[in-house]
Amino acid sequence: MTIAVSAAFDSGNIDVLRIAGPGAIELAIRKDAHSEFYQWFHFRLTGARGQACAIRITNCGGSAYPGGWTDYRAVVSDDRQSWTRAPTSYEDGVLTIRVTPRGDSLWIAYFAPYSMERHHDLIARIGQREGVTTDVLGTSIEGQPIDRVRLGTGPRIVWLYGRQHPGESMAEWWMEGALEALTSGDDLSVALRKACSFHIVPNMNPDGSCRGHLRTNAVGTNLNREWAAPSAERSPEVLCTLAAMDATGVDFAMDVHGDEALPHNFIAGFEGIPSITDRQMGLLTEYKETLARLSPDFQTRIGYPASAPGKANLTMSTNQLAERFGSLATTLEMPFKDVAENPDAQAGWSPERSKVLARDCLRALLEVVERLR
Ligand SMILES: [Zn+2]
């Protein structure tokens, strides 16, 4: 049987440079369309059952975050259900993944993928639960729906949205965890749905997700640089979401991401917005400290440097929403690698852990909810 590599499927990304036997598989990651960004990969290796393979991705030195490859391990699956980590090394710009497939096919990715089919399954499954409605805020460049899930009857308006950067698939695993937690019927879900009205956009960038992009939509726009002036031509995904937010107001927002380099979960805030208040900053600190108390996977020591006073980038959603609504707006970053404080040798950071963290984020929200306005 011939060894072959394919990425011609939902969220696939790889180019084959050369395959000259199991020890000489050379690949390259494709750039996002109309963009220089690349880092996400997802492909299927076939015809190598029982053979020790060395897969070399040769263009990692020029990727968006070369610091993401040090201490990184690729994820692999032979059933596309459970994903484990494979021995991976990085040297001189080349990422080498070593696998010995048990069967005829093995799927290999940057992180456990979250397909658009799974997204539709999620909307269908959650949409049938009691008190849940789903609607479409608008459409992407390529005509895919920007789905919103609504639930809860309380006065505080909470927006949760993720995957502006489509290669950060842990963001949609987090969304799945949040939606399951909010529809479980347990004490937490009952209390939160009484206190808040939730607006949840599990996938802000369906085109980039389908195309196997890291960071941009179908026309090469980084959606998280569009929130000051979104447009129908460059960023209809943001334009329709921000219009819906203007219609509801926002008391609490969480924008969910993954970080390529840092082996930690952390929250980036909105320091540096022009109208910042002590109340807002106090709530941000309280929220982060509460989450660190509730979750062994979350910490407040390491994260992005805060912007200087007045220097916040208002094209980023968290800054824009904090400025626009005076709200508690947060950017949650999860690792592609693992959590240094609480590592898992087999799985690293994973879909399951992303879902648990989502529930912990909601537990922390309940603790501060009375003070949101
Ligand atoms: Zn991101």
Side-chain angles (χ1 to χ4, degrees), residues 164-165 168 215 224 256-260 304 333:
Q164 292 198 75
H165 298 146
E168 296 161 12
R215 206 160 162 79
N224 203 26
V256 185
H257 287 256
D259 184 274
E260 289 77 2
Y304 299 145
E333 296 281 351

Side-chain angles (χ1 to χ4, degrees), residues 69-305:
W69 305 118
T70 304
D71 298 327
Y72 165 77
R73 292 177 296 156
V75 304
V76 301
S77 176
D78 48 20
D79 62 4
R80 303 204 314 139
Q81 302 296 320
S82 69
W83 295 83
T84 57
R85 300 277 174 164
T88 305
S89 58
Y90 180 65
E91 200 174 354
D92 296 334
V94 177
L95 190 76
T96 303
I97 306 166
R98 296 184 186 280
V99 293
T100 303
R102 286 187 299 186
D104 293 325
S105 289
L106 185 71
W107 284 262
I108 301 171
Y110 188 30
F111 193 82
Y114 199 105
S115 70
M116 286 311 299
E117 282 302 308
R118 190 179 182 101
H119 168 85
H120 286 277
D121 289 344
L122 178 69
I123 295 298
R125 178 162 57 91
I126 299 295
Q128 291 178 45
R129 295 189 177 172
E130 194 180 335
V132 177
T133 61
T134 63
D135 65 352
V136 176
L137 298 178
T139 52
S140 67
I141 293 275
E142 296 184 302
Q144 295 195 71
I146 306 300
D147 287 314
R148 168 174 63 174
V149 180
R150 302 179 68 164
L151 49 86
T153 55
R156 275 90 182 182
I157 306 300
V158 174
W159 278 83
L160 311 174
Y161 56 103
R163 229 170 162 191
Q164 292 198 75
H165 298 146
E168 296 161 12
S169 56
M170 60 286 282
E172 198 158 6
W173 290 108
W174 186 101
M175 289 291 163
E176 184 175 301
L179 287 166
E180 288 174 355
L182 287 168
T183 55
S184 69
D186 67 2
D187 290 351
L188 175 68
S189 67
V190 170
L192 278 173
R193 289 172 67 156
K194 197 172 158 201
C196 306
S197 294
F198 286 89
H199 302 260
I200 301 172
V201 182
N203 190 331
M204 288 285 297
N205 195 340
D207 295 349
S209 301
C210 249
R211 287 164 162 265
H213 284 188
L214 174 71
R215 206 160 162 79
T216 70
N217 70 0
V219 290
T221 306
N222 176 353
L223 296 181
N224 203 26
R225 298 295 183 274
E226 290 290 300
W227 290 74
S231 71
E233 295 72 32
R234 289 174 47 85
S235 50
E237 302 89 349
V238 174
L239 187 67
C240 68
T241 304
L242 188 56
M245 290 174 171
D246 281 340
T248 63
V250 178
D251 296 314
F252 178 91
M254 184 170 272
D255 178 22
V256 185
H257 287 256
D259 184 274
E260 289 77 2
L262 294 175
H264 306 279
N265 286 295
F266 58 96
I267 280 176
F270 44 81
E271 298 88 348
I273 62 170
S275 69
I276 197 160
T277 63
D278 290 344
R279 176 191 157 275
Q280 260 175 314
M281 275 310 297
L283 276 170
L284 176 64
T285 301
E286 186 184 347
Y287 183 79
K288 290 196 291 188
E289 287 176 355
T290 303
L291 183 54
R293 172 164 54 76
L294 294 174
S295 169
D297 285 334
F298 186 80
Q299 55 80 50
T300 58
R301 199 168 45 86
I302 295 165
Y304 299 145

